[in-house]
Structure formats: structure tokens, C-alpha cells
Amino acid sequence: MPPPPTEAVEFVEMAGHIVDSLLLPKVLDAILSRGGRYHIDQFDLGQKQDDPSFARIEVRADTPEALEAILREIHPHGAVPTQPADCRTALADVEGAFPDGFYCSTNFRTQVRLGGEWVDVEDQEMDCGIVVDPEGAAARCVPMASVRKGDRVIVGRTGTRVFPPESETRRHDLFEFMASPVSSERPKAVSVREVAQAMRRTRKAGEKILAVLGPAVVHTGGGELVAKMIRAGYLNVLFAGNALATHDIEQAFYGTSLGVDLDQGLPTDEGHEHHLRTINTIRRLGGIKNAVEKGRLTSGIMYECVTHDVPFVLCGSIRDDGPLPEVVTDVIAAQDEMRRHIPGTGFCLMVATTLHSIAVGNLLPAAVKVACVDINPATVTKLMDRGSTQTVGIVSDAEPFLRALVSELEKS
Amino acid sequence: MPPPPTEAVEFVEMAGHIVDSLLLPKVLDAILSRGGRYHIDQFDLGQKQDDPSFARIEVRADTPEALEAILREIHPHGAVPTQPADCRTALADVEGAFPDGFYCSTNFRTQVRLGGEWVDVEDQEMDCGIVVDPEGAAARCVPMASVRKGDRVIVGRTGTRVFPPESETRRHDLFEFMASPVSSERPKAVSVREVAQAMRRTRKAGEKILAVLGPAVVHTGGGELVAKMIRAGYLNVLFAGNALATHDIEQAFYGTSLGVDLDQGLPTDEGHEHHLRTINTIRRLGGIKNAVEKGRLTSGIMYECVTHDVPFVLCGSIRDDGPLPEVVTDVIAAQDEMRRHIPGTGFCLMVATTLHSIAVGNLLPAAVKVACVDINPATVTKLMDRGSTQTVGIVSDAEPFLRALVSELEKS
Amino acid sequence: MPPPPTEAVEFVEMAGHIVDSLLLPKVLDAILSRGGRYHIDQFDLGQKQDDPSFARIEVRADTPEALEAILREIHPHGAVPTQPADCRTALADVEGAFPDGFYCSTNFRTQVRLGGEWVDVEDQEMDCGIVVDPEGAAARCVPMASVRKGDRVIVGRTGTRVFPPESETRRHDLFEFMASPVSSERPKAVSVREVAQAMRRTRKAGEKILAVLGPAVVHTGGGELVAKMIRAGYLNVLFAGNALATHDIEQAFYGTSLGVDLDQGLPTDEGHEHHLRTINTIRRLGGIKNAVEKGRLTSGIMYECVTHDVPFVLCGSIRDDGPLPEVVTDVIAAQDEMRRHIPGTGFCLMVATTLHSIAVGNLLPAAVKVACVDINPATVTKLMDRGSTQTVGIVSDAEPFLRALVSELEKS
Amino acid sequence: MPPPPTEAVEFVEMAGHIVDSLLLPKVLDAILSRGGRYHIDQFDLGQKQDDPSFARIEVRADTPEALEAILREIHPHGAVPTQPADCRTALADVEGAFPDGFYCSTNFRTQVRLGGEWVDVEDQEMDCGIVVDPEGAAARCVPMASVRKGDRVIVGRTGTRVFPPESETRRHDLFEFMASPVSSERPKAVSVREVAQAMRRTRKAGEKILAVLGPAVVHTGGGELVAKMIRAGYLNVLFAGNALATHDIEQAFYGTSLGVDLDQGLPTDEGHEHHLRTINTIRRLGGIKNAVEKGRLTSGIMYECVTHDVPFVLCGSIRDDGPLPEVVTDVIAAQDEMRRHIPGTGFCLMVATTLHSIAVGNLLPAAVKVACVDINPATVTKLMDRGSTQTVGIVSDAEPFLRALVSELEKS
């Protein structure tokens, strides 16, 4: 069968631990899935486990469009055209939008070719565009809403390359175990130990530990455990919502969380109002920091954040009552506020929150290790679907997990 | 045993179907739970099923504070002091906050006593305060953030009364069946039929049907089914988020939803970019309405909303990419925008969304019937916990449920 | 409207705390739901909280059949005909089956009228029939498969009465808190404390504590915690399946559970065989007890059971490998074996097992309090649906829950 | 660093599509994970997509034991020693148990070397041993409980080889799409279409379609849909439990399922007894077949099975009431009965059952394609963990899924 007259061809290269990291198999699979064909032009297999491999692959497809689709798909797996050229840019012609054909970023380390040099992209974040600075010497990820008219935005894949993490690298990294599958049926003491070790290593490396917490942390009685971790220097930045902060302060004011007495466990109809009265009181006092300074708020997670200079970002959501004065009610402003705190973060602990976990997962570069703890396997799965190489999911219960974690951290 | 010297006493009255609606038992139970004692002073039991009952109950507690707590708890069950007085108010002294001791609203029909007259509270909504107009002739629910300095806000329970729904009433109402328990193991054809009947009745009554939809409606392939309901006049207002609208438009543009081909079901890495490119295109076009008017968007849920004058509110969340220009990124503004569309609503269909369902559930008065469909029982349970008398939960899968619903609606 | 010519009437009586226990409202509701009508003929409301109430209710329905259906439904709520008569019996004419019209038991305390005397039914268990002894002096619950030809089996409801638990009773009983709703968002330390108190009280009362355990107890690393409870005398009978015992012994033999190393958490393909080799070894040794006696099995849950004379019943299921020699592979024989161990049981702790929890829940009389711990809310809900007054559900993670429970038990 | 004195070495070979099927990467990864080292001695990469590849790998480990562990782990991925020898056997010395060191089977096609010839193993099933016939000419999988003293059982891996499915093969096989991740957010119409196509192809190939059904099929109202599929010849064997059959017959007798009216959806307390009365009636009639023959059972799934000669196996479980006479109460006997029906099966549809799905999944060879439909993602995940290459998981609701499937099947 002769090739179709419009058949299109391109050569791509891959290098590194491309076999045991599954990158090469994934690329070959992707070519076949999208109806393409391949021919391995050159293949140097690293014979020992530490040797890198190299492959040059001829990719063919029936039409230039089909080929383009294949190349776009294999690019994030590290397959780059053999003939490098500088990246191409277009000027943004609309505020808050990219030019058509803009390059869409991943959360993997990325380089772009500027003036013949490969340059690391700054502020790596997924689902952004890449803007080149006016001098053409640097490039950084920019979210859509932050684009300004006249920005030089990279279009197409030419002159870009991605460094997907290799599984072998991962293996010797923060987490020694805990592969992808999400299950509640794992030895829990091991998960706790691994997270504690990751937190100690991060602290020792002078990097920040970021906590993303949902209100169930307080409802299940874990507030004091988080407070302990803050006092011990194990939580350095806090991202949460109105609910976490409200129920934490409600506990300080009334001893209840959403009206449930945390000592007796007795729910009361009347207690349901506590969270509203809490918010109202804090609004009357002019905010959480004021409440601490005026001596009205004297315990809990938010109190410890204020007294230990742990910055916090409280992001608004449409289900919020109130909200507390510190809550950033504009969601785009809230994302930007979170972005400001991410540089320098080495580890992120997410507990009992779906919305905030996914939002923060979108912002983190792949190099930041994440442990996501939730009693609902669906939450853990959702997060891991979006960046499996960096996240370990732990299906467990907030308070008992935190209790075990604090006691493990105290051992050291 | 003599009564403690500080023992406090109050008489309350209840009227209506208080036995078979469980209101009286709940009140007696609440008194005992909180350490109080009761004495049934007078009890006239309706002898036939349609006769109302009446009870006067003496409530005692060890301290005035304990009595107050009991009265606060039984008040929403319709137990009001026998000696009515006008409601008391205090002037708001802080922008965006209530005075201390403010009355906290439920979503049940409520009356307040003004100048000796019982007056219905307008804009009934849970977790609000009640503001009396300057003339002292009317009262309405106001959320905390909307309070203005100088507003006359009701404090305490004096001069307020609540009309909780009676279960017997409910029985002959919109839903003929479907008691509280949430289970996936119910006959699904019956659920579908009941929802269809509620929608027909609502339309016949000249009331609006409100849809609250999550992106899984589109991911599972239900977009065209929703479009059909809009065309048939069965959805009159839409509340959703950036994701639902984006994936709906992505399907119109690319035939995919989050990059999954809706005809083939094949996920593609490259397709992951489709949603970003979709948002970017709509931003470049100046919004969804513009995209329809310019002939660029020609099918799908959002297209039908625009062409059939179905108003929609797209509420922002911190996990949003972009977002689309119509998205209200300030969450408090988004709540207000939703509030504007609630009057006149007779039925609300929530499908496959936790965040929006709970947010809307908070805004709806108890008189609006709600059907909440989700494949995750936890979502359904969460919503029903907050207003069980008005909500039926249906644990089912979005697309197949909508398919059966559309075919049931077409029968009529 | 004149009554239909076939209208049927019956008088029933109820006594006790029938208002605040919700029994009366439930009965009235049931009459209406099934199309009947009622008239409260007499009603003496207990005026103080400790006074019992009394109601005589006239029940009407359009046909005798409809009336019969109503009476059958309200009978388990304690509504008995005003004119008592002796119970009626029929002789079993088929081995292993009841006569038609047999009385179907609940798990509530039940009495039958024999020779003018109300007699307590023995071996109370739901979904059984009641067999009267040849002398007509005693009666006991008998499962269908155990019926022998010639047994005198009670038919109809005449001469039977049920004592449903009253909620007020429950309140001051084993569990002080934890109402029906199942949620993971509860203060976990309180749940743990309540279960520990129930276990201490049961032991002090000289009653047995029954544990029903699933394999996730071992997978999550909780085996040693259960072993501790056995050594401390807090678990007196064990019901489980082949999997729990196998993975417990696998841990003793290989240090793994389903091939996952419980110290390292590392899953291995090869380790998957461990459970099969474990079963094979125990079969070669002639069973678990032999393995302990021969000094081959020296640690773990099963080891502690053998050495501390804690009887165990291992019930077979169709997903079993092997199975271990002690497993009762006939499911009806397994039920009978479990029944033998239930008398004298005061408390039952179920952890991480759906099948066994529901099976045991079916066997227990309502007087045995049950705590059901599972990370999956659906399991907890399923069990509570079948006997809500006696069961508290705790949505939590097996190992961390057991760790907290053991440490709470050690405090005393 | 000189090699440790005890270093052990072995050469293994792999052939086929070992790169794009991920088999080679998995083997290399496994060697490293278990502390081994490798050297690729020879590697011939298939240059075009249809060319097979070949690799000879030198595997080294610190000790013979470590090497043995590595070889045991990589063996199921198709890595076999370069120097083949005949398999080794040992005589079973205990009834119902294998000799120590027995070879533990997978569900992949396997060959053993007998008298210098590679012979296919019959009755391929996971977690069994392999018994060689007395003539030494054939071999078959045998479950532990079926071993007889004197059986020649294969020990060790020598002379055995496994043919794991290659992903490329899979791609062009029964399912065109639906990769491993389990999500409810998939286009449902595509899943339905794929299952329908698989069923048509299976029927056309003259192979059997096996259905494994849980009681929720009936509870959700799907009984008549299954009956239709039986009448249309799309279900050829049925595996289920006492509950599915009981509730199906309950529907035929009373119009209810677990007491819930399938037309009205109204649950009734009294109806709860229906399932017991149903079982009792069938026991009195001498079984399901007798009930059909006597004209007492005239509709439903079981009725169609009897009248269309569709064999069924009803397996007992400890939560069964009754049970129905046809239920096999001994679980090992039930497994054997199911095994008898598996040969000739080409496709298996599992709906709404965890226990039976996993039990049947354990029995099926990897070549039988499976679609597992459940509303609970955990069930689907559990099954797929045990044999991901053959099973597609569909998170959906039983009745609506079956309704769509039936209507898709009727299109052809």
C-alpha cells in the first residue's frame, strides 16, 4: 500500500531514563492511538540502570493535521523535534486573553529557546501561557487573566521542551513508597511516618511546608493538633476557606464546631447559629488579626497563625456565610494571593478539602511534593488524576491521621 | 427535691398537626436533651386526621440561661411563648455586621410582630438577620454582608414565630414519595416520573424551574439533553460555574469535554488543552452572548440559554481557569446575583454539583421543592442535612438520569 | 360521603412514652400513608416527662385487606388490638419452611399470649418465625431453615405484641450521644471515648464483647491493636471470615498483608502469593489451633484468640481462597454457629466489614448495642437502616480508630 | 566496589511487544525496586509498530534469595530464564493442600515444559496450583481444596512461562476505549455502545455471555430489562446470590422489591416481610423451577432463566435469609459449580454486586473480557485492581444503565 499522498513526517528525539520511566512506551502508544505510525530510527539503550537512553523516532501520519495532533500530545512526554529552532511568539491583542495558538503550559519543568539558548521558564504552573520578557532573555508562566495587551506570548511548540519527571528519580525522592493506587486498605502507620519524614526533610532543607485544610479538620476535633504543628514550626503557610477559619474560631468562642460540642459530641439545633455569631463577632472586631490583638481570640489554628507569623490565605466560595473580613471574595484575586506564597514551598499537606486541594494542585509546580489526606477516595483520586507523579493520596480520617502525625513528629 | 432556687419557667404554645408532623415530639425531646423538664399544661389532640392539635407546655430549667437555650432551640419547631409581644430591634452599628444578639433566620416561613400585628417576613432565607423597614410595617431577611449602619435589626426571639412545614402537608405536595433516606437502591423510573411531574406542575403553576448543574452533566454526555429541556421550556433559570459553561462550549467547539471525545469516549492528552483554548476564544470574543451573536457558538446549553432568554448566573470558584467573561468572580456578588433570580421559583433541579447545590440550598426558602441528583451519596446527604423537608435526594448517574427525564417529559 | 360498604374498623392501643419516642406519630403517619383513617378514641398524655402516655385509636380502611395491611405495619411500633386473644399457630407441613401466614419476627423484645398469659419470646432475632413448644408454655424465634415438620408456628399477629425501644430509654443507655446521621465530620475523640466506655461497662456487667472484623483491620496495620484488646480481655468472641484470619497469619509468617509489607508499606507482586502460601501451610498443619500448638503460629489476632480461649467463628464466602480449615464453608451452618455465641453478648464492635456486619446485625437482638466503624459511609448506613435504635455508625479509618481506642482503654 | 561475594546472576529473555506494552519497563522497574541490578545483554527493538522486540537481560542481586525474589516477581511479566528446562513437580502429601513451594498460578495464558515440549495449561485460573496428569502430557489449574493426595503438583518456576497480554493487542480487541482510570465523569452513551458491541461480537462468535447480578438490579427497577436481554439471547449464564433471586421473585409475587413498590416507589414496613414470605413460598413449592412448572412463578429474571434454559448458579452468603432451595450454601461447592459454567464464556457483564463480582473475577481467565458496572467507584476499583487488562469499570446506576443497554441492543 503506497503512502497516502498527503502523508506527513517528523523526527523527534527523547533522552534520559525513557524506558524504565515509561516515557518511551507512552510516546509509542500515543502515536498508535492517534492513528500514526512510527519507525525507531536510532535507539541507544542504557545498558546499566544508571545509563541514560536515547531514541530518535520517525513519526508519520496521514495528514499534516494528524501529525500535528500527535506531536502536540507527545511533547509533554519529552519528545522534541530533532531540529531545534527558537520559540515563536505573538503579541497579545486582547486584555486578559492569549493570542490564538498560544502554547499551553504543563506543571513540569520547561525550557524555551531564546536567541539560540535554552532558558528555564519561571513560575512554572499548568494551564498558563508563557510570556517572554521584552529583552527576549527570560520567560515565565502567566495565567490568562493576567495577560496584558502587547505581551509577547509563545505560540506553538517550536523551541519549547518539557522535562517530565522520570519514575526512577521519583523513587529516591521524598516518598519511598505509596504508588499511585488509592486505597483505604494500606498500613496507615507507614503513611504517617512517610509524611512526617517528608516534613522534617523539607524543614531541614529550609523550604516551606504549606497546609491546605478543610473544615472537617476542625469538625473531627483536629484543630488543636494543627495548632501544635504550627507551634512546632511544621506548618509555614496556610491556605483555607471561610469555613475552616470560622469553625476554628467558633471552637475558641463556643467550644463547638458547626454547633457540635467537641467535648461531648452533642449536636444542638441552637449551636447551628454559633458559626454565624462567630463570623458576626469577628466582623464587628474588624477581622481575625484584630480579634487576636484585642485579646478576644486566644486559641486555635487562626490564633496560632497570627501569633507565629504564619501567613494565611482564606479564599471565598459561593457557599460562604459572612464571610470573615480576611476572606478574599474575588476568586481570581485569591488565586493570585496564593501564587505569591508558593515560591519556596517544598512540601504541601492537604487535609479534608476537595475544592481547595484541586485549586492549589493547579497552582503547584510538579517539583513540590504533595500528600493529600481525605476520607473520601474520590477526592484523592481527583487530585492524583491531575499530577500523579507528585502527589500521594492517603485515604484516612482527618483527626486520627493528624493525631498520629503529630505524635510521629514529636518523636524526632 | 425542691426546685433549685434559680429555676426558670416559661410557657410555650404549639398548634397544627404537631403530633403526626413530629413537631411536638421533637420539642419534648429537645427540652429533655438540654436538661430541661416539661409539663403538658393543656393538650387538645385533633381526633381526626384533619383536625389541628394544640398544646401548651410549661418548660422549666435550672437557670435562666439554660431555659433561654432551650427556648432558642425549640423556637424553629414552632413553639412560641404564650404571651406575645412586639419584636425587639437594635440599630446596626457596624457596616456589614449585625448587632450582638441578632435573630438568626431559618428558611421556614416566619412572622414577626410589629405594632401588635403578625407580619410575614419577606425574602425568607436561612442564616440571615431580619431588618425592619423604617416605617416599622415590614421586615425582610438580609445577609450579613448587606447590613448597612443604622438598619433596624431584630434581636432575640420575642415577637417572632416560625411555621415549620408539617409532614402531612408535605405528603400531598410536589413529591408523592421518596422519604428521607438516601440510597442508590431505589426504583429509578419512579424518581424520574416524580421529578417530571413536579416540573410539569411547576410550569403549569406559572412558576420558574431553576437548574443547578455541574460539569459532569457535560462530561457524561448530558449536554444535549439539557438543551432539549431548555427548548421545551422546562428550564427557566440556570445557576452553574465556569466549568459547566466551559465544557459545554468546548463540546460545541471541539466535540470533547475536558478533552474526552463525547462520541468515541477516547481521552487524549492534547484534548486537555481544549478547555483552555475554549475559554481563551470566548474571552477574545467578549463573552458567551457575543459568541452566540457573532455566530461562533451555535449549539449546547449556553447557546440555548442565550437564544431562549434563559438567564444564567455563572459563579466563580478558586479552581477556575480563565474564567469566561460572564463568570461573577466575587463570590458575595455571585450570591446576590443568584438571589435576584430566586423569587418566583417553584422547583429546583440540582445535578452533579456539590458546591453549587449547597450554595443554592442555602439561598432557597423551604417552600421551593428541590430534587438533588448525584452519583455520590455524600453530596445528596450533605444537602438534605440542611433542609430535609424540601429536598429529595436521588443517587443516580447524570446522563442516564437526564435521558430518562427528557423521555418522560416528552410523554406528556 | 357515606362510608364504603366494606369499610373495616379495628381498635388498637399504645402505651408508654409514645409521644416523645415518636411511636405514636409514626403509627398515625403509617395509617395515613396506607390510605387509612384514624380517630383518637382516648388519649392520656403523660404530663411530666416520666409519666407514660396511653392512646386508644380507631383505625378505619376501605377494605378488610387494607385494614389488615395497616395493622401489620403498625404492629411493630407497639400498636396492639384492644381485645387480646391467645396467639394462633399452625403445624409446619414442610421441612425447612413455615406454614403460610407465619408471623415474621422483629429484633425487638416480643411477647406472645399463651393460655391467657403474655410470655416473652426467647432467642429474639429478626426475620424468623416463632415456634411454640409442645407444652404451649414457651416460644422462641426459629430461622426458616431450622423448621421441622410438626413444629407449632405462630401465624398472624393475634396474641403477639412488640416492645419497640423508646428513644428516651436509649438516651440514657450505653451511648450518650451519636444520633442517627452518619457523617465523617464528627469529633472522633468523643466517638472513641464512648465506645471505650461502652466496652468497660459491658465488661463490668459481666457480659461479652463481640468483635466482627474485616481484613482491612490487618491491611491498615491494626492487627497488633486487636491482639492487645484480646490480651486485655476486651474482646471475648470473634466473628470474621477467611480473609481476616489469613492476612493476620500472613503477617505473622511473612510480615505482609496481601503482600504489602506492614513496616515498609511496599507492595510487591510476589507478595501477592503470601496469602495463598499461608493458607496452604495452615492446611498442611491441620488448622490454626494446631499451628499454635505446634509453635508455628506465635503472634497475631488468631494466635491470641487460641491462647486466650476467645472463641472465633470464621464464616466462608464465595470469594475465599483455600480456605483455612476452621472456616465454616456452609453459610447456614455458619449462621447457626454464630447464633450459639450470641447469648450473653452485651456489646458488639464491627470494624471494616460489610458482609459480616450485616449478617451479624441480622442475628442480634435489638438490646445488644452495636458500634459499626467503617471508612465507607455506605456500609455504616446500610447497617443502620436495619436497626437504627441499637447501632451507632462511625465513619473512620480502621487502624487509627483502633489505635485511639486501645489508648483510651489503657487509660482506665 | 567489588561485587559482594555471594552475588547471584541469572539471564532472562523477553519477546513480543515488550516496549509499548510496558512489559519491559515493568521488569526493569521491578529489578530496581527489589534492590537488584540489570544489564541489557541484547536488545532488538522492533522498528515498526508491528515488529516484535526481543531482550536478553542479565539480572544480578546480592544474594541468591534476593535474586529468587526478583525472578519470581518478573516471571508473570513474561521474563523467562534463557535456559529452559522441564518443570519440576512434587507429590501432594496432604489432601486439600499443595506441597510446599508450589507454583502459584496467574489468570494469564501459561505454558509448562513437559518432556521438552511447551504445553498450554488448561482451566487457567488465578491463585491455583498446576497439576500434571499421570502421563505427564497435560497440565491444568487446580484449586487448593481440590488437591488429592498423590497429585503431581508443579513446584518452582522452572519450566513455566507466562504470556501476559500486551496492551497493543488489547487496543484492537473487544473494547476500543475505556482505559484504566475509574470515573463517573465519562460519556455514558459511549460505554453503553461499547458493551453492546462486545455482547454482539461475543454472540456472533458463538461464545457465552455471563451475567453476574446483584439485588440492586431489581431494587432499581431493572428486572424487566434483564428479562428482555435473556429473551433476546444476550444472557446465557447467570451467577447471582439468594438476594437477587428472592427480590426478583418478590417482584413477581408482590410487585415490590425489599418491600418497596416498584411502580409507586413507596416503601412500607409491612412490605419488608415480602422477601421472607417469598422465600418461604418457594421453599414450600420445592424450588424455583418447580414454582415455574406449577405456574406459580410467571415473570421476572428467574422465570426467564428457567423457560429459556439459561443455567444459573445461586451462591450462598452468611447474610442470606432462607435461603431459596436452589442456593448452593457451601461456598466451595458454589465456586466449583461456577467453574463448570465458565468454559466457552466470551464476555462477562457484572452489575451492582461486590462480593459476586470479585468471586467471579477470581475464577475467570484473563482472556474473558469483563465490564463491571456499579454506582460505587470502590467496587469497580477493587475488581480492576485484580485484573486490569481484562476489565473495564463503568461507574453508573444499574437501572438507567441497563435501560440504555437494552435500547442499544435493540437497535441492531
Side-chain angles (χ1 to χ4, degrees), chain B residues 247-295:
Chain B
H247 296 301
D248 171 62
I249 302 173
E250 177 191 339
Q251 189 187 0
F253 283 1
Y254 296 94
T256 61
S257 185
L258 204 52
V260 176
D261 188 304
L262 287 169
D263 282 329
Q264 309 296 326
L266 275 167
T268 64
D269 275 14
E270 176 240 354
H272 170 70
E273 298 178 5
H274 288 169
H275 82 280
L276 261 202
R277 299 196 184 280
T278 297
I279 298 168
N280 198 57
T281 300
I282 296 291
R283 287 175 74 100
R284 295 179 63 83
L285 291 167
I288 299 169
K289 287 189 189 178
N290 282 354
V292 172
E293 279 158 19
K294 290 176 181 167

Side-chain angles (χ1 to χ4, degrees), chain A residues 72 96 98 270 283 329-330, chain B residues 72 96 270 280 283 329-330:
Chain A
R72 203 154 50 215
F98 299 114
E270 176 241 352
R283 286 176 74 99
T329 59
D330 187 276
Chain B
R72 203 155 49 215
E270 176 240 354
N280 198 57
R283 287 175 74 100
T329 59
D330 186 277

Side-chain angles (χ1 to χ4, degrees), chain A residues 145-193:
Chain A
S146 303
V147 174
R148 294 295 149 253
K149 246 187 181 172
D151 280 354
R152 285 180 62 200
V153 179
I154 295 182
V155 292
R157 279 164 298 91
T158 306
T160 67
R161 64 183 188 196
V162 168
F163 297 83
E166 298 168 352
S167 66
E168 206 234 349
T169 312
R170 178 182 40 145
R171 186 171 310 282
H172 304 295
D173 212 320
L174 270 179
F175 297 105
E176 299 291 330
F177 95 111
M178 298 196 287
S180 48
V182 165
S183 164
S184 61
E185 304 198 347
R186 291 293 169 84
K188 290 306 154 74
V190 180
S191 306
V192 166
R193 212 163 55 219

Side-chain angles (χ1 to χ4, degrees), chain A residues 316-320, chain B residues 315-316 330-331 334-335 338 355-356 359-360 362:
Chain A
S317 97
I318 53 166
R319 55 175 289 191
D320 288 350
Chain B
C315 302
D330 186 277
V331 293
Q335 288 177 354
M338 290 194 287
L355 176 64
H356 291 83
V360 175
N362 287 351

Side-chain angles (χ1 to χ4, degrees), chain A residues 235-248:
Chain A
L235 292 187
N236 314 115
V237 183
L238 172 66
F239 293 172
N242 189 54
L244 179 278
T246 297
H247 295 301
D248 172 62

